[in-house]
Amino acid sequence: MQPRTLKALSKLMSDALACDGVMKRYGDMVAVDDVSLRVRRGEVFGLIGPNGAGKTSLVECLAGLRSRDGGRVELLGMDPEVQTGAVRERTGVQLQTSALPTRIRVREAINLFASFYRRRADVDLLLERLGLADKADSYVEQLSGGQRQRVFIALALVNQPELVFLDELTTGLDPRARMAIWDVINDIRNQGTTVILTTHFMEEAEKLCDRIGIIDGGKLVALDTVSALIAGLDAPVSMSFRVSGQVPVEDIRRLPAVQDAEVVDDRVSVRGSGDKFQQEVLQLLAAQGLWAHEIRTEQASLEAVFLELTGEQPEVAVSA
């Protein structure tokens, strides 16, 4: 293998972002407290946490928009506070609060931002990709909330970034607009761009993110895939079903993985844990010549993990 190929392979396999011991203070308040994490190239990495947990401050430190008070940040192999210009050329940022001049059209805004960079996306293709082609000559202020969000995503992608930060992207959007934005994020990832996403919505994090970091009180209190975070909670699984015949409730309760079983009206409800919990219940029924039907299961969710680790109820998405 040629040295040039080895170098390209090493770049591909390296982290898009690495930080160690990042600190940020505002007076006596510690907003970001000794945070260390890695984000792999090509993944969608989510940051969730209660209001005021420090998510936006952390993102601003990682992106080089705000100076940190301690720790190390490496963004695409560079320190964003030292190699600021080079980092700006290769990254994009959409902040929680964004605004444009009141009388600017969509295409004008994108062309303006494109002029700031050496590497530029094809504006027409970008508009088409984000579903804005028919709004190119409309004033941004006249667009719907979801359309404006797509404009700000376009501004973050106008330099064809290798990594993009999206901060609270769908807050205030109705469900239809939110799902349209989710499609855009999946498309960004499929194009090979690394995405760092902050959100209040657990469903959004579960659907979009390869891995999730939970921030509380400025600290990173958990980091893993959604499935691993839920498994680590060791929460019981609920299973309910109907059975034609006498229900062997006491036999079900004696199964090692079962925590509780009861009959409510004409449904059997069983709570238990472990990979084989449901299988053991169904095998017991089958051994007695009984068959379960209309089976429903409820797994623990990311919301339960969030509540366990932060003690706060996450926000619920509502229509705008």
Side-chain angles (χ1 to χ4, degrees):
M1 187 177 286
Q2 297 297 317
R4 188 173 181 179
T5 306
L6 280 170
K7 183 176 180 180
L9 182 61
S10 174
K11 180 181 178 181
L12 182 65
M13 296 176 64
S14 65
D15 292 323
L17 182 146
C19 71
D20 294 294
V22 173
M23 301 285 299
K24 182 61 189 176
R25 300 181 182 86
Y26 301 103
D28 295 332
M29 185 189 77
V30 180
V32 180
D33 191 356
D34 194 27
V35 171
S36 300
L37 57 85
R38 301 283 186 276
V39 176
R40 303 165 189 146
R41 286 182 182 265
E43 77 173 329
V44 176
F45 183 87
L47 285 169
I48 63 176
N51 286 326
K55 302 186 299 299
T56 296
S57 290
L58 175 60
V59 164
E60 290 175 349
C61 288
L62 297 179
L65 301 177
R66 192 176 296 274
S67 61
R68 58 191 184 270
D69 295 316
R72 180 182 69 88
V73 174
E74 205 170 84
L75 196 57
L76 302 173
M78 300 173 285
D79 185 329
E81 290 189 27
V82 177
Q83 296 156 287
T84 305
V87 167
R88 293 284 186 274
E89 283 289 335
R90 296 171 60 187
T91 60
V93 181
Q94 179 271 329
L95 295 174
Q96 183 175 353
T97 302
S98 302
L100 286 167
T102 55
R103 302 300 288 176
I104 192 168
R105 301 178 191 272
V106 173
R107 188 189 300 276
E108 291 173 340
I110 296 174
N111 281 329
L112 173 64
F113 275 65
S115 70
F116 301 153
Y117 300 99
R118 290 191 295 270
R119 184 171 68 173
R120 304 167 189 174
D122 183 298
V123 173
D124 289 328
L125 286 177
L126 188 59
L127 288 167
E128 185 68 34
R129 179 181 170 193
L130 294 174
L132 292 169
D134 61 339
K135 299 294 182 181
D137 297 319
S138 299
Y139 289 112
V140 174
E141 66 176 355
Q142 295 175 341
L143 302 180
S144 69
Q147 290 167 340
R148 281 196 299 272
Q149 287 292 57
R150 276 182 273 171
V151 171
F152 291 120
I153 294 174
L155 299 182
L157 298 178
V158 75
N159 60 326
Q160 298 180 308
E162 297 169 49
L163 181 151
V164 62
F165 294 92
L166 303 175
D167 189 19
E168 302 292 352
L169 190 62
T170 63
T171 298
L173 298 187
D174 62 64
R176 184 175 179 179
R178 184 173 294 110
M179 286 188 286
I181 295 296
W182 292 355
D183 289 340
V184 170
I185 294 171
N186 282 323
D187 180 54
I188 293 170
R189 188 250 298 278
N190 292 337
Q191 296 292 323
T193 303
T194 304
V195 179
I196 299 178
L197 170 74
T198 72
T199 180
H200 283 298
F201 304 130
M202 299 302 103
E203 181 187 9
E204 184 164 280
E206 287 192 65
K207 287 186 178 296
L208 296 177
C209 299
D210 299 301
R211 291 187 303 139
I212 288 173
I214 301 179
I215 303 288
D216 190 32
K219 292 182 177 293
L220 183 67
V221 297
L223 193 161
D224 216 321
T225 62
V226 172
S227 58
L229 288 170
I230 292 172
L233 187 62
D234 197 26
V237 177
S238 297
M239 174 186 184
S240 69
F241 50 86
R242 287 191 170 94
V243 174
S244 299
Q246 185 65 36
V247 181
V249 176
E250 292 303 323
D251 291 341
I252 294 174
R253 287 173 179 161
R254 282 193 286 268
L255 290 172
V258 171
Q259 298 178 7
D260 188 28
E262 61 180 345
V263 180
V264 179
D265 296 328
D266 60 345
R267 292 192 68 84
V268 184
S269 179
V270 187
R271 294 171 67 247
S273 59
D275 296 335
K276 299 180 180 178
F277 154 62
Q278 299 170 66
Q279 182 181 346
E280 289 177 356
V281 173
L282 296 176
Q283 286 177 340
L284 183 148
L285 295 174
Q288 299 190 24
L290 299 170
W291 301 99
H293 54 94
E294 296 183 38
I295 300 172
R296 301 172 188 165
T297 59
E298 292 184 12
Q299 302 279 351
S301 65
L302 184 61
E303 182 175 336
V305 176
F306 185 93
L307 186 61
E308 175 73 17
L309 293 175
T310 69
E312 295 196 27
Q313 191 72 31
E315 289 190 14
V316 177
V318 294
S319 298

